[in-house]
Amino acid sequence: MEGESESEREGYSLVVRKPCFGLPTACPSCLPPYLYLRFANIPFLLDFNLVFPDSDQIPYVESGDYVAYNNEKGGLIERLKEDSIIDLDSELYSVPEWISTKAMLTSWLADAITYELWVGSDGSSAQIIYCSDLPWPIGKVLFLKQIRSVKQKLGITKDNAEQKEGEIYRRASIAYGALSTRLGDQNFFFENRPSSLDAIFSGQALIILQALPETSVLRSKLLEHGNLVRYAERVKTEFVDTGPSYSAPHFHAEPSSSNPKKGPRQSSKPKSKPKREKTQEEKTFKRRAKYFLATQLIAVLLFLTLMGRPDDSEVELDDDDEGYIND
């Protein structure tokens, strides 16, 4: 952001879902914003939220009184651009091919990775990314609830499941072919510099390569294009492996506009701090955390009740989904 001092930039905190599969976060919504900030060379603290796997606010950025959520203005990256935090795309808006390529990433390929995580595979990767820190059966039921939601979003029913799957993979194959041709042997897709398109693609590709099983159809389609794979691996080496420390994920409260943020973690030993009286905000959060399990249990009961109604939704659980309940 022009006119912004370095000390102000160091106050940014990016809150994402937990690290796993050798990535700072394996959530398809969280890794692209992480890479976008890394491409922009903006210092930030990487923080984690482990308790709201179904929240569409995650990821989000905090800095002092400023909070930008993922469910606002077309996603977190778009919000950061509109709020003049950082815009890597400012010179690309008039390029038709850039616009169509990004649209393909945010529709065809975004749908494909969502399908693979929740429906097209055994679901083990999605469970690790989103639900493994929650008590059973809360994690299990939230997992089933998300499968149901994904099927509704993609318009998948028992009658058209095979047709929809073929369409999703066909579009993904076309998209990878177009992206491979566009990239060629360049370092980035457009004008030899990173844009939000690069952040979105490399985030998706790294999750596909590292989080999805070897039997993944989407993974096999990506592996057909060596330059795309090499590109994703180079991004990981240059921008992920050298990024902010994420070896000790911890619980993060709901975003607060009254709690100032620190800059990137330092390697020196933390100094001991004198005891202080808890703030009203901390007391409020502790009270919320106390009732978290109770509210999730109520959500589980409501979900099971609604799931038992035959006319509850046009999209029904198939035999594989029902198998999760019987486990």
Side-chain angles (χ1 to χ4, degrees):
M1 179 178 177
E2 295 183 4
E4 185 180 30
S5 68
E6 186 70 18
S7 60
E8 287 175 320
R9 286 186 173 185
E10 289 181 354
Y12 289 118
S13 176
L14 174 64
V15 182
V16 298
R17 294 187 171 91
K18 70 175 185 179
C20 52
F21 299 107
L23 298 170
T25 174
C27 169
S29 297
C30 298
L31 191 55
Y34 169 92
L35 290 169
Y36 187 75
L37 292 176
R38 293 285 291 130
F39 286 158
N41 198 29
I42 291 184
F44 61 94
L45 172 69
L46 189 61
D47 211 343
F48 304 92
N49 189 307
L50 310 182
V51 296
F52 298 111
D54 55 345
S55 173
D56 59 359
Q57 290 185 332
I58 302 171
Y60 54 86
V61 165
E62 292 182 301
S63 180
D65 293 336
Y66 177 80
V67 183
Y69 297 106
N70 190 57
N71 62 347
E72 299 174 331
K73 297 183 179 180
L76 180 56
I77 291 177
E78 293 302 314
R79 172 71 190 274
L80 294 175
K81 287 159 57 175
E82 289 192 23
D83 292 346
S84 299
I85 303 300
I86 184 66
D87 188 352
L88 297 177
D89 305 336
S90 57
E91 298 179 9
L92 297 171
Y93 294 127
S94 60
V95 180
E97 190 177 354
W98 180 84
I99 296 171
S100 60
T101 302
K102 187 174 179 182
M104 184 173 58
L105 277 173
T106 56
S107 57
W108 288 6
L109 289 181
D111 287 349
I113 192 171
T114 299
Y115 177 83
E116 275 275 327
L117 279 172
W118 296 100
V119 183
S121 64
D122 61 4
S124 58
S125 297
Q127 286 185 332
I128 292 172
I129 296 167
Y130 296 94
C131 304
S132 59
D133 294 292
L134 297 175
W136 196 98
I138 293 175
K140 179 73 82 172
V141 174
L142 287 177
F143 174 75
L144 292 173
K145 180 182 177 184
Q146 187 63 22
I147 291 177
R148 189 183 185 92
S149 176
V150 167
K151 288 183 176 181
Q152 289 177 327
K153 177 183 176 182
L154 299 178
I156 298 173
T157 66
K158 286 183 178 180
D159 295 332
N160 69 3
E162 186 175 346
Q163 175 187 350
K164 283 289 184 180
E165 180 180 273
E167 180 181 340
I168 288 170
Y169 288 136
R170 180 181 62 82
R171 288 178 173 178
S173 183
I174 294 172
Y176 285 139
L179 287 167
S180 178
T181 300
R182 173 67 219 180
L183 181 64
D185 58 358
Q186 301 178 101
N187 289 329
F188 298 101
F189 284 102
F190 286 87
E191 298 186 2
N192 204 33
R193 62 182 180 84
S195 67
S196 62
L197 187 154
D198 295 272
I200 294 169
F201 170 76
S202 53
Q204 292 176 347
L206 287 173
I207 292 171
I208 291 168
L209 292 171
Q210 298 196 211
L212 293 180
E214 292 185 0
T215 55
S216 162
V217 176
L218 189 60
R219 188 173 186 270
S220 67
K221 291 187 177 296
L222 175 58
L223 288 173
E224 293 175 0
H225 303 280
N227 63 333
L228 295 181
V229 174
R230 289 190 296 273
Y231 169 70
E233 292 173 345
R234 180 179 61 81
V235 168
K236 182 177 186 297
T237 300
E238 296 181 8
F239 296 96
V240 176
D241 294 341
T242 60
S245 172
Y246 54 86
S247 59
H250 58 282
F251 177 82
H252 190 277
E254 294 180 68
S256 167
S257 61
S258 61
N259 197 15
K261 295 294 169 184
K262 299 179 181 179
R265 293 186 180 93
Q266 303 297 324
S267 59
S268 59
K269 287 186 177 181
K271 298 179 180 179
S272 59
K273 297 182 180 179
K275 292 184 178 179
R276 62 175 177 81
E277 184 179 352
K278 292 182 178 179
T279 64
Q280 184 60 40
E281 179 185 331
E282 290 172 324
K283 292 177 181 178
T284 301
F285 170 67
K286 185 176 181 180
R287 185 167 63 251
R288 288 175 178 173
K290 183 178 180 181
Y291 293 108
F292 172 72
L293 291 180
T295 56
Q296 290 297 325
L297 180 59
I298 293 173
V300 167
L301 295 174
L302 287 173
F303 175 72
L304 291 174
T305 300
L306 293 172
M307 193 169 59
R309 293 168 53 187
D311 59 344
D312 179 59
S313 172
E314 294 180 2
V315 181
E316 300 176 356
L317 290 174
D318 57 25
D319 294 337
D320 291 336
D321 299 333
E322 292 170 357
Y324 284 111
I325 301 176
N326 297 325
D327 285 346

